[in-house]
Amino acid sequence: MKAIWVWARGRSRFEALAASAVALVVIAAGLVALEAVTVARLEDSTVQAPTRIYARPLVLHLGMQASRSLVEDELEWLGYTRAAGRDVGIGEYRFESRVWTIGRRPFRHHERISQGGTARVRFDYRGRIARIEDGGGERLTHITLEPELIGSFQGTSSKDRVPVRLSDVPDHLVDAVLTIEDQRFFEHDGLDLRRIVAASLANLRAGQVRQGASTLTQQLAKNLFLNPRRTIIRKVREAAIAAVLERRYSKEQILEAYLNEVYLGQDGGLAIHGVGRAAQYYFGKDVSALDLGEAATLAGLIRGPGLYSPFRRLEAARMRRDFVLRRMEGVGAVDQKTYEEAVNSPLIVRVEARPARSARYFIDYVREQLRSNGQDGLAGEGLAVFTTLDTRLQRAAERALGQGLLQLESQYPNLTRDDSPIQAALVALEPQTGDILAMVGGRDYGASQFNRAVHARRQPGSAFKPVVTLAALSRRDEGADDEEQLTLATVLHDERFVVQTRQGPWEPVNYDRRFRGPITLREALEKSLNVPFARLGMKVGPERIVETARSLGIEGRLIAVPSIALGSNEVTPLELTRAYGVLAAGGYRADTRAVFGVLDREGELIARNDRTGEQVYELAETYLVTSALRGAVERGTGRGLRSLGYRGEVAAKSGTTNDFRDGWFIGYTPSLTVGVWVGFDDGRSIGLPGARAALPIFTGFLVEAVGAYGDRGPYGGGRFSIPPGIEVVEVDPRTGLRAGLGCRGERELFLRGTAPRRSCSPYAVVRWLRDGEEWVSEQTHRLRLELQRLLERDSRRRRGGGR
C-alpha cells in the first residue's frame, strides 16, 4: 500500500513538472505570438492611410474674366476665411473693389510644389485680371490655388490619416506632446513606476481618479490593440504590449508611431488620426508649418478631441492651448518671451471644410481608370490622385441636372415614377485637352451607382447627324474631282425615300411627317430633317460614316446600315460628347483624361498622364460643321438656348430617338464641350424631344459655367472664327448654284476650291456664249502665231542645208 502511495506521489510530481513545462511553453509561445502580432499591427498602422482624390486647382491668369463670387466660393470651399483687418494671413483673403489679396497655403500638386504666400490680383475697368503680384511685389502671369479634396478610397479602415516622419514634425510639437502626456518618455521602459505611484497618491487624496499614469507607449498599445474599457485585465495586457514595443523598437520609432496613431477628432464618419492629418484638418497646413500655438492646440486635443475641438468649442480649445503652453514654460521647453507671444496670439483655425458629397460618379470613374492602368490596390495606400475635375463646374452640373429633372416632373406629371424615376447624365470636357471637367451619372448616387454618363449605351438619334455631316463634307480621296465634293450648299431632296434592306423596306420620315422638296444640306441639319439625311447617308455610304465616327473617338459597336445616318447605333454620353469635342478643337481628337498624376505617400510622382491626341480632320473641315451647328442654335432645333437666356458663342444639336425614348442635347463653345442625356433606364418613352427634355439642363449648366454671354471664368471667352482654307461665296439656296445678276444668294462657306462654279443667273448662258466666243477667237490667234513660227523655223532650216 505504501509503495502504491509513493508511486502515486512520484507520479503527481512528474505530472506537475510536465504541466509546468507545458505552461512555460504556452507562455513562451504566447509571448512570441504577442510580439509578432504587435509588430504586424504597428507596421500596418504606419502604412495604412486613405488614398485621396483631388480636383484640379483654380488658376487665375492675366486677362481672365473672374467674378468675385467665383473666387470667393472657391476659397470658402477650401476653408479660407475673410481677413478681419488689413493684414491677410495664410488661409485668409480680402476683397476690395479692384484688388484681391489672398494668403495662399502651400501645397503639392502632381507637377509642382507651391510655397503659397500672399498674392494680389488687380482688375481693370472691364473686370478682367490686369496684374498679379506676389507678396514682394514681383509680377506673375498666374497664381494657382490649392486643389480641393473631393474624396478618398478608405479601404476597410475608417481612420483618416496622413502619415508623417518624425523628422518632419517640428520640435515644438514633440515638446508639447511630451510635456502634457509623458515627460519621462525617454527615461522609462514603457512603464513609469514613479508616475504610477504619484498618480495613485493623487487619486487617493482626491477620492477619485484625477490623474492617469499611462505612458505614450501604453497609449499606443491601447490605441492599436485594446478597447477603451478600464479593467484590470486590459491594463495587464496594455503593460505586456508596451513591454514588447519597448523591447522591439527604438524610442524614436515608438514616438513616430504614436504621433501617427493618436486620435484627434472626427470628420463626419472618418476618425482623424495622427498629427499629419490633424494639422491639415484644423489649420489647413502641413504639420511642418505649425507654429507653437497651433502645436500646443493639437497636443491639448489628445485628452479630449470632443471637449476641446476648436471648430465647436473655440474658447475651451484656447484655454486648453494656454494650459499646455504654461506647462511647457514650466518645464523649460520654451522661454518666457516665447510663451507670452504664443499665449497672447489668437487661435485661428480654418473654416471647417464643407463635406464632399458631389462627384461620386466621377470618383468611381477615376477608380476604374486607375485599375485599368494597373493601379488596383489603392485603398489604404496613402496616395494622392490629382484629377481633371473642376469642382465649380461639377456643382453647377449637379444643380442643373437636379433642377432640370424636377422641373420636367413638375411640368409633365406623367414622368414621375417612384419605382424607376426619370434619369439624366451630363458630361463636360475641355476639347483641346480631353480633360473631364464635370460628370454626373444620374440624379441620385445614393439610389443608383450606375454611371449613365460612361456606361449607358443609348441611341443618339439626330444628335448623330453632325458625324454624318462631317463624313460628307470632309475631303474625299486624293485626285477626286472637287465638283463631286459635297458641300453645305448641296441640294438634297426631301421627298419619299425607301431603301430595301435584308429586314425589309426601310422608309424614314421627318418628325412632322411632312416633305419640303429640295433643301440644302445646311438647312437639313439646322432643321434636323430625317429624310434628306437618310439620302445623304446613302450617298456618303454607311461604311464611311462608321469610319468617321471611329475617327471622332466613338469606340462602341457600330453597324454600317442605312439607318446609321439617323443615329440608330448606340453610344454613351461620354463618347458622343467627346466626338463633338473634336469639332470644337478644330479636328484635334484629344484622348479623354481624368487623372493628371499620382503621388505616393512620400510625395514622389509614380504616375503621370500627359496630354495626348491626334489631328484627325482639317480645321477647315470641322469648321463647316460648326458653322451649321451654330445655325441650328440661331434658326433650328436649338433656338431654345437663346430663349432660356444664353447669348454667347455656341454650336449645338438636339437628338430624339424613336418613340421619344431618349432626349439629347450636345454642344460646345470654343473652350467647353457639354453633353446631356435624359431618359428612363428601362427605355420607357419620355414623350418629349431632346430640345424640350435635355436642352434646359444644358442651358442651365452653360449659363452657370461661362455666364450668359459666354465670357466668364476659366472656360469663357473666345470666338469661332473662319480659319484658313475656307472661302465664302453667295449661293442660291434653291439650286445650290453661285448667285449672280438676277438671282440673289446667301453667304455660304466652302472648302477652298469646292464652291459651285455655275451660276443661277438668267444671264449666265449669254455670258457663257460671249465668253466662249472670245475664247475661240483668242485660241485661233494663238494657233496662227504658233503655225507661223513653225513655218519660219522650217524655212531657216532649209536655207541652212543649201549652204
Side-chain angles (χ1 to χ4, degrees), residues 372-434:
S372 67
N373 293 333
Q375 295 169 312
D376 194 6
L378 296 174
E381 292 296 320
L383 307 180
V385 181
F386 296 94
T387 73
T388 62
L389 190 85
D390 186 302
T391 53
R392 185 179 64 87
L393 296 193
Q394 179 66 26
R395 289 188 280 269
E398 292 174 357
R399 280 191 293 269
L401 188 144
Q403 293 171 4
L405 291 181
L406 289 176
Q407 186 176 6
L408 280 176
E409 291 174 330
S410 174
Q411 294 175 341
Y412 307 98
N414 62 303
L415 295 178
T416 303
R417 292 174 58 180
D418 295 330
D419 57 336
S420 180
I422 190 170
Q423 292 288 348
L426 186 151
V427 180
L429 305 174
E430 187 175 34
Q432 291 77 19
T433 63

Side-chain angles (χ1 to χ4, degrees), residues 303-586:
R303 180 176 179 181
L307 291 174
Y308 304 114
S309 170
F311 286 150
R312 294 164 182 80
R313 299 183 178 184
L314 183 61
E315 183 59 24
R318 187 190 63 79
M319 293 176 64
R320 179 66 176 169
R321 177 203 69 176
D322 294 349
F323 172 75
V324 175
L325 291 170
R326 282 195 302 272
R327 293 285 298 273
M328 293 179 71
E329 195 265 342
V331 300
V334 296
D335 58 34
Q336 185 174 359
K337 180 182 178 182
T338 304
Y339 160 74
E340 290 177 352
E341 290 176 351
V343 83
N344 290 322
S345 65
L347 176 55
I348 300 174
V349 295
R350 68 180 296 176
V351 175
E352 189 170 9
R354 306 177 192 179
R357 294 290 182 268
S358 64
R360 287 182 284 184
Y361 288 106
F362 176 76
I363 292 172
D364 286 350
Y365 177 74
V366 167
R367 193 165 195 167
E368 292 174 9
Q369 295 300 299
L370 293 173
R371 282 176 174 170
S372 67
N373 293 333
Q375 295 169 312
D376 194 6
L378 296 174
E381 292 296 320
L383 307 180
V385 181
F386 296 94
T387 73
T388 62
L389 190 85
D390 186 302
T391 53
R392 185 179 64 87
L393 296 193
Q394 179 66 26
R395 289 188 280 269
E398 292 174 357
R399 280 191 293 269
L401 188 144
Q403 293 171 4
L405 291 181
L406 289 176
Q407 186 176 6
L408 280 176
E409 291 174 330
S410 174
Q411 294 175 341
Y412 307 98
N414 62 303
L415 295 178
T416 303
R417 292 174 58 180
D418 295 330
D419 57 336
S420 180
I422 190 170
Q423 292 288 348
L426 186 151
V427 180
L429 305 174
E430 187 175 34
Q432 291 77 19
T433 63
D435 291 350
I436 298 176
L437 303 176
M439 175 183 285
V440 187
R443 68 184 301 168
D444 183 359
Y445 181 87
S448 170
Q449 293 78 50
F450 177 63
N451 191 344
R452 295 158 188 83
V454 178
H455 300 301
R457 307 203 67 83
R458 310 290 292 232
Q459 290 183 339
S462 293
F464 195 76
K465 287 175 180 173
V467 179
V468 182
T469 304
L470 181 61
L473 298 180
S474 56
R475 291 188 184 274
R476 300 288 176 138
D477 299 333
E478 293 291 334
D481 190 343
D482 282 341
E483 293 209 2
E484 296 179 3
Q485 177 70 44
L486 295 170
T487 71
L488 289 172
T490 296
V491 175
L492 305 172
H493 297 285
D494 185 13
E495 56 190 34
R496 187 170 184 266
F497 181 58
V498 181
V499 178
Q500 297 297 329
T501 70
R502 293 180 179 180
Q503 290 73 33
W506 175 63
E507 183 176 358
V509 295
N510 295 323
Y511 64 91
D512 58 2
R513 298 187 176 277
R514 292 174 47 218
F515 296 114
R516 291 161 178 79
I519 191 170
T520 63
L521 195 163
R522 171 185 286 276
E523 189 175 358
L525 180 60
E526 291 178 355
K527 295 182 177 179
S528 196
L529 299 177
N530 290 337
V531 176
F533 258 86
R535 291 180 178 274
L536 179 65
M538 294 304 294
K539 187 177 183 67
V540 172
E543 292 77 11
R544 182 177 173 87
I545 296 173
V546 170
E547 179 185 336
T548 302
R550 297 290 186 218
S551 297
L552 293 177
I554 296 176
E555 300 174 348
R557 183 169 179 260
L558 296 173
I559 305 175
V561 294
S563 60
I564 190 175
L566 304 186
S568 62
N569 283 271
E570 294 179 340
V571 296
T572 68
L574 179 59
E575 281 182 325
L576 194 57
T577 304
R578 181 190 183 193
Y580 275 64
V582 178
L583 302 176

